[in-house]
Amino acid sequence: MATPSNCDVPNGGADSADDFVETPKLVKVEAETRPDFKELQSIERKRREILLRAELPFWRIIMFWSGTCLKEIASDSLVWTTICIYVGIRIFANYIDYVPESVQLLSKTNVGILGGFLSFFLVLFVNQTNGRFLEMYGFSKACSGRIQDVAGLAKTQLPVEVGEKLVRHFNAAHIAGYVG
């Protein structure tokens, strides 16, 4: 059998070299979507420009096109299709002289009950979503507090380089928790 090495796993906690199982070697997979340094600089420059906009007056902030959702909404075909259908229905409804049969059937139904039912569940859904957000925010702030505690201890108990490295690793782990 194979001899133990740093890539072998003990079989059931046995102690002898014959009881080790050889594990398959990992294949390195390269990320094909990783941006190069120039792209990262461009992204960071745009991000900083957007960050600086937060200090501007409100009326100036709403006038920006880049860095907002307006660019995405304006280029979304589903939004424009929905608007065109709505405008077409309104134009058609204004130019006909009679009430269509489908509208007469809708007048006999009680749409108010359905609207009340949907509103009730919407309130429940929003409340549940807000509760989840507040719970996760609490976890995030608690984690941030523990990192501050470790930073204080590291500053007083460890050498400067080791303490800074430890806090950097904790901050990186905290960020990795958000981005996966």
Side-chain angles (χ1 to χ4, degrees):
M1 281 210 118
T3 59
S5 68
N6 61 357
C7 66
D8 294 333
V9 177
N11 187 9
D15 294 331
S16 71
D18 292 336
D19 293 333
F20 280 82
V21 178
E22 193 170 328
T23 57
K25 304 292 183 208
L26 295 176
V27 178
K28 185 178 179 183
V29 179
E30 293 188 30
E32 62 241 12
T33 60
R34 195 169 276 201
D36 63 353
F37 187 67
K38 292 286 186 190
E39 289 177 66
L40 286 176
Q41 283 181 322
S42 172
I43 291 169
E44 182 64 16
R45 188 171 38 258
K46 289 177 186 174
R47 188 193 68 78
R48 287 179 190 246
E49 288 172 3
I50 293 171
L51 182 64
L52 291 175
R53 290 181 196 165
E55 299 173 2
L56 295 174
F58 173 73
W59 62 272
R60 294 242 351 244
I61 292 173
I62 63 173
M63 296 297 176
F64 282 103
W65 178 257
S66 63
T68 66
C69 63
L70 295 176
K71 186 185 280 187
E72 295 297 320
I73 291 173
S75 63
D76 189 9
S77 62
L78 184 61
V79 170
W80 290 108
T81 303
T82 307
I83 290 173
C84 289
I85 290 172
Y86 174 77
V87 168
I89 290 172
R90 296 303 301 165
I91 290 171
F92 179 74
N94 284 331
Y95 282 115
I96 59 173
D97 293 335
Y98 62 94
V99 177
E101 187 177 333
S102 59
V103 174
Q104 290 175 350
L105 291 174
L106 282 176
S107 66
K108 295 177 186 174
T109 61
N110 195 351
V111 181
I113 292 175
L114 181 62
F117 184 72
L118 289 175
S119 297
F120 175 73
F121 279 108
L122 178 65
V123 168
L124 286 178
F125 175 75
V126 168
N127 188 25
Q128 182 183 26
T129 304
N130 192 35
R132 277 194 224 128
F133 169 77
L134 290 175
E135 182 182 12
M136 294 308 293
Y137 181 73
F139 291 151
S140 172
K141 294 307 282 183
C143 183
S144 179
R146 299 303 74 79
I147 291 172
Q148 288 289 81
D149 294 344
V150 168
L153 283 172
K155 178 76 172 174
T156 59
Q157 302 294 323
L158 297 174
V160 175
E161 300 84 24
V162 175
E164 287 178 354
K165 189 174 184 181
L166 179 67
V167 172
R168 283 190 194 115
H169 279 88
F170 275 128
N171 285 333
H174 193 202
I175 291 169
Y178 293 116
V179 297

